[in-house]
Amino acid sequence: MDAVLDGVRELLPVLRERAQETEDRRALDPEIVKSLAETGLFRLLQPSRFDGFEAHPLTFLTAIREIASACGSTGWVASVIGVHNWQLGLFPDRAQQDVWGQDPSVRMSSSYAPTGKITAVEGGFRVSGRWSFSSGCDHATWVLLGGIVPPRDDGTPADFRTFLLPISDYTIEDVWHTVGLRGTGSNDIVVDDAFVPEHRSLSFNDTSRCRCPGQEQNPGPLYKIPYASLFSYAITTPLIGMATGAYRAHVDYTRERVRVSYVGVRAAEDPHSQVRVAEASSDIDSSWLACANNMRELMDLVTAGTRLPMPLRLRIRRDQVRGTELAIRAVDRLFENSGGRALAVGTPIQRFWRDAHAGRVHAINDPERALSMFGRGEFGLPLNDAMV
């Protein structure tokens, strides 16, 4: 997988140079998406039977961190679109064939908040409604939508599922006018009474139990890990990447900056600036190392065929939300230390600051939910949450 990482790193100067352009257009340029695809990035987590690499998740996350360090919006879109190729590998084989059977380069966007109406019918479901925040949807021809199937008369309980729809079943409404992650094109998906066959849906209960229908055709260890473990890291890793980019930009800027309050002394000689840089660097390293160590341990266990212990799954979510918190704290510290000129439109530090805070508000980053689950596990209390 070194070739993919090498290809991604070759793109970084271009992504960095075009970061402001990406923000201004409120979406990624198709040429950027094409260049990312040519590196093999989107195939890293894709099943091998559809020309994918089935790579170690850490390879994918490393690539995402690098991309986000150059352009936050590009890193965010690359991460969420890339992880969808892993999720589709969990669906029934017929769904995978529907998407990739003719073209394994097909991409999917998503919106998981269950804001639409789902009705169970013979052979599948009727789906209607509006879903927001579908990042990169302009570069996808399928979408994954979250929805709750109401309880049935036969006693079947409510079920939170993901529904897979082709672009012919939905429209995209351009509503993405934001202060952060402006280049992600995270527009609304609108569905008007579309039929989704049963095989194009997947229960979150199955993903939590790590027993999904796609494992029959995709038996590799990559498809035996919990959805919450990988998807949550696909959200936090771009934030760590943004903090990394903010750090590099800040250090380069501070080396030459002169502080008026210190009578012409270079900011780099200010001991307070030195301490803030050290603290930010430590927070970034801590967030990444914890996530990387957890992902290695997770994959080692599933590769060995060992049952995943719940304490590890809880630690993964704990360190994921803490990783987000540390990344945000680092960006804040760097921004505070950058002076008034960092406020200018087009400067990297303020763009990383806005992008990171925009990514922070994703629901998977809510610290209380994940930390409460960890605490319940430590105290031996029962857990009832599919996002672990």
Side-chain angles (χ1 to χ4, degrees):
M1 298 300 99
D2 289 345
V4 176
L5 292 176
D6 289 343
V8 165
R9 287 165 180 148
E10 288 178 5
L11 282 178
L12 297 183
V14 175
L15 301 180
R16 192 174 295 113
E17 181 181 343
R18 299 187 63 181
Q20 186 60 49
E21 175 191 332
T22 298
E23 175 165 285
D24 292 342
R25 66 181 291 138
R26 298 186 301 112
L28 269 60
D29 187 315
E31 288 300 314
I32 287 179
V33 178
K34 179 182 177 182
S35 295
L36 289 172
E38 289 174 346
T39 68
L41 173 74
F42 298 129
R43 291 192 288 147
L44 283 174
L45 303 181
Q46 190 164 327
S48 59
R49 66 199 188 98
F50 292 109
D51 294 340
F53 296 132
E54 293 193 21
H56 195 293
L58 193 53
T59 302
F60 173 74
L61 297 175
T62 299
I64 294 302
R65 183 189 181 189
E66 295 272 14
I67 295 167
S69 74
C71 175
S73 288
T74 303
W76 183 271
V77 171
S79 191
V80 296
I81 287 184
V83 80
H84 294 155
N85 288 2
W86 170 79
Q87 186 183 5
L88 183 58
L90 307 179
F91 273 72
D93 180 56
R94 286 183 63 190
Q96 298 176 56
Q97 296 290 347
D98 288 347
V99 177
W100 289 323
Q102 299 299 318
D103 181 2
S105 68
V106 168
R107 293 183 291 269
M108 297 154 282
S109 66
S110 68
S111 179
Y112 295 103
T115 55
K117 179 182 179 181
I118 312 297
T119 304
V121 297
E122 184 176 355
F125 307 89
R126 306 299 308 190
V127 176
S128 294
R130 176 185 294 269
W131 285 259
S132 298
F133 312 118
S134 190
S135 301
C137 57
D138 290 333
H139 307 288
T141 53
W142 288 75
V143 70
L144 296 157
L145 301 176
I148 296 176
V149 181
R152 306 188 191 188
D153 294 338
D154 62 3
T156 303
D159 188 13
F160 185 18
R161 304 182 73 87
T162 300
F163 300 91
L164 175 65
L165 287 76
I167 196 168
S168 57
D169 284 350
Y170 63 89
T171 59
I172 299 171
E173 289 197 9
D174 185 353
V175 298
W176 192 242
H177 300 276
T178 59
V179 298
L181 290 177
R182 293 184 62 200
T184 61
S186 303
N187 289 305
D188 284 5
I189 302 295
V190 180
V191 181
D192 183 14
D193 193 30
F195 173 72
V196 178
E198 177 78 29
H199 71 270
R200 290 188 196 159
S201 71
L202 182 68
S203 174
F204 273 93
N205 290 327
D206 290 342
T207 63
S208 179
R209 291 191 292 260
C210 302
R211 296 175 184 171
C212 297
Q215 292 170 342
E216 183 175 348
Q217 286 76 30
N218 304 318
L222 179 61
Y223 303 101
K224 296 176 182 176
I225 61 178
Y227 171 87
S229 297
L230 183 52
F231 181 82
S232 64
Y233 278 24
I235 296 299
T236 288
T237 297
L239 301 183
I240 298 173
M242 295 171 209
T244 303
Y247 180 83
R248 293 169 181 166
H250 176 77
V251 169
D252 290 344
Y253 168 66
T254 303
R255 282 175 179 152
E256 306 302 326
R257 178 184 166 216
V258 174
R259 300 195 71 169
V260 176
S261 59
Y262 281 78
V263 196
V265 173
R266 291 172 58 221
E269 298 173 358
D270 175 12
H272 302 298
S273 291
Q274 296 162 0
V275 169
R276 289 171 177 171
V277 163
E279 290 174 338
S281 175
S282 177
D283 283 344
I284 295 168
D285 287 348
S286 296
S287 62
W288 174 247
L289 291 173
C291 290
N293 179 67
N294 288 338
M295 192 54 64
R296 289 192 192 96
E297 183 174 347
L298 178 71
M299 285 300 293
D300 285 348
L301 289 174
V302 294
T303 300
T306 304
R307 182 180 177 85
L308 296 178
M310 184 55 68
L312 171 61
R313 296 174 64 168
L314 291 169
R315 177 180 11 121
I316 286 171
R317 285 301 316 280
R318 180 201 69 186
D319 290 347
Q320 175 256 316
V321 295
R322 288 289 295 143
T324 291
E325 289 182 331
L326 290 172
I328 294 295
R329 187 167 75 182
V331 172
D332 284 348
R333 183 59 55 88
L334 295 167
F335 186 63
E336 291 166 2
N337 199 48
S338 293
R341 293 190 182 277
L343 296 171
V345 173
T347 57
I349 189 70
Q350 55 81 30
R351 185 169 53 247
F352 282 123
W353 184 82
R354 288 184 290 105
D355 287 348
H357 277 273
R360 161 63 185 86
V361 300
H362 191 287
I364 203 74
N365 287 323
D366 288 347
E368 291 82 8
R369 179 180 180 183
L371 298 181
S372 176
M373 285 194 296
F374 181 86
R376 290 184 67 85
E378 288 293 282
F379 294 141
L381 298 175
L383 295 164
N384 185 26
D385 196 314
M387 292 304 293
V388 66

